[in-house]
Amino acid sequence: MKPSTHPSLSHGRRAKGLLVLVPLLGVCVILSLGVGAVKIGPMQVVSILLEQAGLEPLTAFSEQQAAVLYAIRLPRVLLGVLVGAALAVAGAAMQGLFRNPLADPGLLGISSGASLGVAACTVLKVYVFGFYTLSIAAFVGSLLSILAISSLAQENRRTNVTMMLLCGIAINALCIAGTGLFTYLSTDDQLRTITFWQLGSLASATWTSVSTAAPLILLCTVGMLFLASPLNALLLGEANADHLGVNVERVKWTLVALVALGVGAAVAVSGMIGFVGLVVPHLIRLWLGPNHRVLLPLSALLGAVLMVLADLVARTIVVPSELPIGIVTSLTGSPFFLYLLMRQRRTQVL
């Protein structure tokens, strides 16, 4: 399906999506901030936020409620918004680059590279950067994976997209095998750390992790938005995009670098969370079409909505324990992935 290039049509669809998703994200954030062991009503949530902004609160609240919301829940929810947006917009961009609806950051080994970095540091007991060691290891692992894939996919000084996808699958398998080896060699405590990281969680969210990840994720997300037009041209094929004046090679490298930056930062603070990058762009595409001017910003919003809701379910469904958020997203993403496979088989795309 070719994207609609008529500006007024794409503006109308984007406005329609924004009118639905922005209020929905606001409601989900307020709901998530209020639900937990310490109950905080929606008006109290708004009042606490207003007071933090130096404005007059709407209703009374206790100091305990304000402390819980500001110190524990708000950084966690904000981190969920950032991670969901990064994974979803990266998935939309990867699907546009490879012209493959099943492409997502996990398929290229970016997430598994991060996991391998964490497993290696954990088992080898490398804690050079103290508390931040595992996050830095995850970020470095994801960057090394995408650099290896990009180098292997070079052909006559051009990046072969098909080769990049195949190399990504091979690197992904290699990283998974490496993580499996370190898991086999790990002690019980190390195994718990590796498993928790692989399943993903926002439980360790702090203002420090938010401030660390936010600049990188915002740079990735905003940068992707500027590449919407080149991605639309790439849907017509590289040769046609080249004829339309798109510097295809520069777009490929920029996209890959932004995806590595955003996904690496997201995995570093939350662990591996699957299927968001696969499912969210498809939902937006089915709803409002494949135009990347619409797809990219709305994928970021819907990714944030789904991540906030998934985290809310993860921390409340089995209280007092907490379910890894990757299990929640995989339970919803796996059936949708199977649906895509069946749908593509019917249309003889695969």
Side-chain angles (χ1 to χ4, degrees):
M1 183 165 44
K2 292 182 180 179
S4 167
T5 55
H6 197 286
S8 62
L9 188 57
S10 64
H11 290 164
R13 289 178 176 175
R14 186 165 51 202
K16 177 182 175 183
L18 290 174
L19 283 174
V20 174
L21 292 179
V22 171
L24 180 61
L25 179 59
V27 170
C28 291
V29 166
I30 291 175
L31 178 67
S32 186
L33 288 174
V35 175
V38 176
K39 305 292 182 187
I40 308 175
M43 291 301 290
Q44 290 176 315
V45 169
V46 175
S47 297
I48 294 170
L49 295 177
L50 287 175
E51 189 182 69
Q52 290 293 332
L55 301 174
E56 190 69 23
L58 302 175
T59 187
F61 54 85
S62 67
E63 291 185 3
Q64 183 194 27
Q65 289 174 318
V68 167
L69 188 146
Y70 187 72
I72 300 175
R73 293 185 192 165
L74 189 55
R76 181 168 182 153
V77 170
L78 289 178
L79 198 63
V81 170
L82 290 170
V83 169
L87 295 178
V89 79
M94 298 303 286
Q95 290 166 14
L97 175 63
F98 292 112
R99 298 189 295 280
N100 187 325
L102 302 181
D104 81 330
L107 191 65
L108 288 184
I110 300 172
S111 299
S112 55
S115 179
L116 177 59
V118 170
C121 281
T122 303
V123 174
L124 299 176
K125 299 180 180 178
V126 177
Y127 294 108
V128 179
F129 299 101
F131 177 77
Y132 299 103
T133 296
L134 295 184
S135 297
I136 293 173
F139 188 64
V140 171
S142 64
L143 280 180
L144 290 179
S145 293
I146 201 67
L147 287 176
I149 295 164
S150 300
S151 300
L152 292 170
Q154 289 298 303
E155 189 175 285
N156 298 324
R157 296 186 177 182
R158 292 180 66 86
T159 306
N160 186 320
V161 172
T162 304
M163 184 62 74
M164 183 184 279
L165 186 59
L166 294 174
C167 290
I169 293 171
I171 293 291
N172 189 32
L174 189 64
C175 290
I176 291 173
T179 303
L181 177 62
F182 281 116
T183 302
Y184 176 76
L185 297 173
S186 63
T187 63
D188 288 346
D189 288 341
Q190 292 170 342
L191 177 61
R192 195 174 297 111
T193 301
I194 295 172
T195 303
F196 190 75
W197 192 277
Q198 287 178 320
L199 294 176
S201 174
L202 298 174
S204 59
T206 61
W207 283 111
T208 301
S209 58
V210 172
S211 60
T212 302
L216 300 177
I217 290 177
L218 289 176
L219 178 62
C220 160
T221 305
V222 175
M224 294 284 187
L225 299 183
F226 283 104
L227 293 174
S229 295
L231 278 170
N232 281 343
L234 280 173
L235 289 179
L236 305 174
E238 290 188 21
N240 290 327
D242 194 45
H243 289 150
L244 291 172
V246 175
N247 188 330
V248 175
E249 203 63 20
R250 182 186 297 173
V251 170
K252 287 178 189 173
W253 277 103
T254 307
L255 272 173
V256 167
L258 289 174
V259 167
L261 193 66
V263 175
V267 174
V269 294
S270 67
M272 291 178 63
I273 299 175
F275 286 103
V276 176
L278 174 68
V279 172
V280 170
H282 281 288
L283 292 175
I284 298 296
R285 201 177 285 114
L286 290 171
W287 179 26
L288 295 171
N291 189 332
H292 285 87
R293 292 190 186 95
V294 179
L295 181 64
L296 291 173
L298 297 188
S299 290
L301 279 173
L302 185 58
V305 169
L306 289 185
M307 188 60 69
V308 170
L309 289 178
D311 181 56
L312 178 61
V313 171
R315 66 183 172 83
T316 57
I317 196 170
V318 289
V319 287
S321 301
E322 181 174 320
L323 200 64
I325 195 170
I327 292 178
V328 178
T329 56
S330 295
L331 282 174
T332 56
S334 298
F336 191 77
F337 185 74
L338 291 173
Y339 160 74
L340 289 177
L341 289 177
M342 296 301 105
R343 186 169 178 264
Q344 289 209 350
R345 189 173 69 175
R346 284 198 299 272
T347 56
Q348 298 182 337
V349 173
L350 292 179

